[in-house]
């Protein structure tokens, strides 16, 4: 996981492109632009950023370019974000243990 990945996904149109490719599968530049209501140059620029970040693959078929998601990059992103969830779970477990200890101390006869 690197900063280029997060930077590429920081732009809403790029997120929309990624979601479209996730839902629809491989699409051409024209199909992406049409479905998202973007101009071709704008779509091309966003797809270039996503491709350079390794989030999207492009395949040349005759005079068309077909774009598709690189699932392994999103698996890396998922693993990275999961590490934050695991850290929070560990913190909650320690807090739960501390609260249990405090509660036991308060319930002890004096």
């Amino acid at each position: 996981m690197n900063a280029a990945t997060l930077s590429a996904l920081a732009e809403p149109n790029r997120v929309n492109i990624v979601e479209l490719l996730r839902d629809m599968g491989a699409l051409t530049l024209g199909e992406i632009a049409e479905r998202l209501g973007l101009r071709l140059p704008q779509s091309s620029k966003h797809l270039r950023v996503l491709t350079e970040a390794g989030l999207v693959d492009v395949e040349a078929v005759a005079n068309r370019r077909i774009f598709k998601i690189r699932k392994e990059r999103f698996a890396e992103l998922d693993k990275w974000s999961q590490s934050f969830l695991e850290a929070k779970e560990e913190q909650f477990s320690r807090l739960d243990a501390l609260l249990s200890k405090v509660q036991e101390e308060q319930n002890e006869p004096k």
Side-chain angles (χ1 to χ4, degrees):
M1 211 337 263
N2 60 36
T5 302
L6 294 177
S7 179
L9 292 172
E11 208 286 334
N13 285 318
R14 292 185 204 132
V15 172
N16 291 339
I17 290 170
V18 166
E19 290 174 344
L20 180 65
L21 291 172
R22 177 200 62 202
D23 296 342
M24 302 299 296
L27 296 171
T28 65
L29 171 64
E31 291 169 328
I32 293 168
E34 181 181 327
R35 291 174 188 260
L36 295 178
L38 301 172
R39 294 176 294 126
L40 286 174
Q42 184 182 21
S43 297
S44 180
K45 177 184 172 187
H46 291 308
L47 284 160
R48 183 175 56 251
V49 172
L50 291 169
T51 301
E52 289 172 357
L55 296 168
V56 171
D57 273 335
V58 60
E59 179 184 354
V61 176
N63 64 344
R64 298 175 355 163
R65 301 290 178 264
I66 300 173
F67 297 88
K68 62 182 177 180
I69 290 289
R70 286 191 63 201
K71 294 178 183 178
E72 63 274 5
R73 296 295 284 173
F74 287 93
E76 291 172 16
L77 183 60
D78 183 52
K79 183 178 177 182
W80 180 77
S81 62
Q82 189 66 32
S83 70
F84 288 93
L85 295 174
E86 290 168 2
K88 280 293 165 202
E89 286 296 325
E90 185 179 320
Q91 290 174 347
F92 286 136
S93 293
R94 288 194 312 257
L95 177 61
D96 189 43
L98 176 63
L99 291 174
S100 294
K101 181 180 175 183
V102 168
Q103 189 174 28
E104 286 175 14
E105 290 172 356
Q106 288 178 347
N107 289 337
E108 286 181 3
K110 296 181 182 180

